Amino acid sequence: MRYRRFGRLGWQVSEVSYGMWGVGGGLHGWTGVEDDEKTAALQRAVDLGCNFFDTAWVYGRGHSERVLGELVRANPDTRLYVATKVPPKDMRWPSTRESTLDDVFPPEHIEEYVHTSLGNLGLDTIDLLQLHVWEDSWTDDPRWQRTLTGLREQGLIGGVGISVNRWESWNGVRALATGLVDAVQVIYNVFDQAPEDDLFPAAAEHDVAVIARVPFDEGTLTGTLTTETTWPEGDWRNSYFVPENLAASVARAEELRRDLPSGMPMPEAALRFILAEPRVATVIPGMRRVAHVDRNLAVSDGQPLDPALRETLRGHRWSRQPTWWSQ
């Protein structure tokens, strides 16, 4: 495993880390894997050198946080960085231009969920506390800044992050200039290259760590979806891959497949594309099986993506606008 500096916090984090949405299961989650297998996958990641784990209260209503806390306690001699997220008070993902700070992150709500998450984790400190949606219109409101600064001064959190809404990488640039935000989490992959335009330069200017999420475009860039793919009732992907999105996504993936070298799996190409961007501190694929962990962490081998292939992949940029199903 190779490590990268996590912005001004100075942590050395695994360049391929662990996104724990799929560990939560249930409402707002992914189905299909039992907890024992997820636990084995998490421990395998630690054994292979992964040291950064990203979860959120909403991933199983605290279940994913509890699983992560157990993992930390099971590995007392290994420094594992714990990142979680405060849900919006109105429980709406994403926020909208009409969302106010009072609707989403009033001070008492942030404080309540910090203590809730600490209880779920069974830890004294959250290394990185992130706000799970963001509107740059909130940037100048001093209340969220005072609240998070106070929590940091109490030692309850180590760093502050924001998670930028899907396909709105511009909607976070102002927040990075406040000097309070230590990390920004954004969708970045072969299709979603927009963060390179505005967010990445701002992050570099302010020494803010970039966490790249959704590296496989919710599964499209694994190359395993077809127009006939379905999921069990209650699986979040049913509400995301509505017919118009599924058909378009599968078509894009098939176009991409034709440009890959013989023998290179699409998930490997997807991860290597992201790791070729030096402004990314870590990428957090979701991994629910040991096989997923072995496959994804193996990409951290120091072998750079061929520059010509990187340019070819750039040609698959897909500029999208948020819609009712994109969440």
Side-chain angles (χ1 to χ4, degrees), residues 41-51 53 71 75 78 80 297:
L42 286 161
Q43 185 57 53
R44 177 65 171 166
V46 174
D47 295 342
L48 292 176
C50 177
N51 70 353
F53 294 80
L71 182 72
N75 294 272
T78 303
L80 301 180
L297 270 61

Side-chain angles (χ1 to χ4, degrees), residues 292-319:
H292 297 162
V293 172
D294 288 342
R295 180 192 70 195
N296 292 336
L297 270 61
V299 175
S300 180
D301 58 6
Q303 300 299 313
L305 185 67
D306 177 79
L309 178 56
R310 187 183 185 197
E311 287 307 307
T312 297
L313 294 177
R314 285 192 178 283
H316 289 273
R317 177 169 173 161
W318 185 7
S319 297

Side-chain angles (χ1 to χ4, degrees), residues 1-324:
M1 174 62 68
R2 296 170 65 86
Y3 299 85
R4 299 189 181 192
R5 179 176 171 273
F6 197 77
R8 59 171 173 252
L9 291 173
W11 305 336
Q12 290 295 309
V13 303
S14 47
E15 63 180 9
V16 181
S17 294
Y18 211 116
M20 293 184 62
W21 184 4
V23 175
L27 189 64
H28 291 292
W30 300 48
T31 60
V33 180
E34 297 300 321
D35 276 353
D36 286 350
E37 187 166 6
K38 296 172 187 175
T39 299
L42 286 161
Q43 185 57 53
R44 177 65 171 166
V46 174
D47 295 342
L48 292 176
C50 177
N51 70 353
F52 184 88
F53 294 80
D54 177 82
T55 187
W57 175 85
V58 77
Y59 301 166
R61 298 297 199 267
H63 178 67
S64 180
E65 291 178 327
R66 288 188 288 273
V67 171
L68 179 52
E70 292 168 2
L71 182 72
V72 172
R73 286 186 290 279
N75 294 272
D77 298 326
T78 303
R79 179 62 166 103
L80 301 180
Y81 292 97
V82 171
T84 193
K85 308 180 196 77
V86 176
K89 182 179 180 180
D90 59 7
M91 294 294 168
R92 292 182 59 189
W93 284 266
S95 55
T96 68
R97 302 300 88 84
E98 291 73 37
S99 301
T100 69
L101 195 69
D102 289 306
D103 295 329
V104 183
F105 293 125
E108 63 276 9
H109 175 77
I110 296 174
E111 293 176 354
E112 175 188 351
Y113 272 88
V114 166
H115 288 284
T116 297
S117 292
L118 285 169
N120 290 333
L121 291 160
L123 301 174
D124 295 327
T125 302
I126 296 166
D127 293 310
L128 181 68
L129 182 76
Q130 302 160 96
L131 301 181
H132 207 165
V133 297
W134 183 254
E135 293 294 329
D136 252 356
S137 61
W138 305 332
T139 298
D140 297 328
D141 191 315
R143 292 176 297 164
W144 69 274
Q145 297 188 39
R146 283 199 303 264
T147 302
L148 292 170
T149 297
L151 291 166
R152 177 148 41 190
E153 290 173 348
Q154 294 174 61
L156 299 179
I157 66 175
V160 170
I162 59 172
S163 183
V164 179
N165 302 343
R166 187 184 299 272
W167 305 335
E168 292 183 349
S169 58
W170 55 268
N171 188 12
V173 172
R174 287 185 58 214
L176 304 195
T178 63
L180 180 64
V181 177
D182 302 300
V184 59
Q185 184 173 144
V186 64
I187 293 179
Y188 177 63
N189 56 50
V190 174
F191 292 155
D192 298 309
Q193 300 175 36
E196 296 178 9
D197 300 342
D198 39 36
L199 191 66
F200 286 1
E205 178 183 357
H206 300 290
D207 201 13
V208 171
V210 172
I211 303 169
R213 77 176 191 268
V214 195
F216 304 130
D217 192 48
E218 309 296 9
T220 307
L221 289 168
T222 63
T224 60
L225 302 188
T226 73
T227 55
E228 305 302 318
T229 299
T230 60
W231 294 272
E233 184 177 354
D235 191 298
W236 172 84
R237 287 167 290 186
N238 284 314
S239 62
Y240 177 72
F241 284 112
V242 295
E244 60 265 38
N245 186 31
L246 182 60
S249 297
V250 169
R252 292 269 182 168
E254 288 305 312
E255 291 177 10
L256 175 62
R257 192 190 308 276
R258 291 192 286 270
D259 281 340
L260 295 182
S262 177
M264 176 174 279
M266 194 178 296
E268 177 184 341
L271 288 176
R272 290 195 186 278
F273 177 84
I274 295 167
L275 293 179
E277 172 53 70
R279 291 171 293 187
V280 169
T282 190
V283 57
I284 52 170
M287 299 179 283
R288 298 177 297 151
R289 302 182 189 274
V290 171
H292 297 162
V293 172
D294 288 342
R295 180 192 70 195
N296 292 336
L297 270 61
V299 175
S300 180
D301 58 6
Q303 300 299 313
L305 185 67
D306 177 79
L309 178 56
R310 187 183 185 197
E311 287 307 307
T312 297
L313 294 177
R314 285 192 178 283
H316 289 273
R317 177 169 173 161
W318 185 7
S319 297
R320 292 176 275 188
Q321 296 297 318
T323 186
W324 65 270

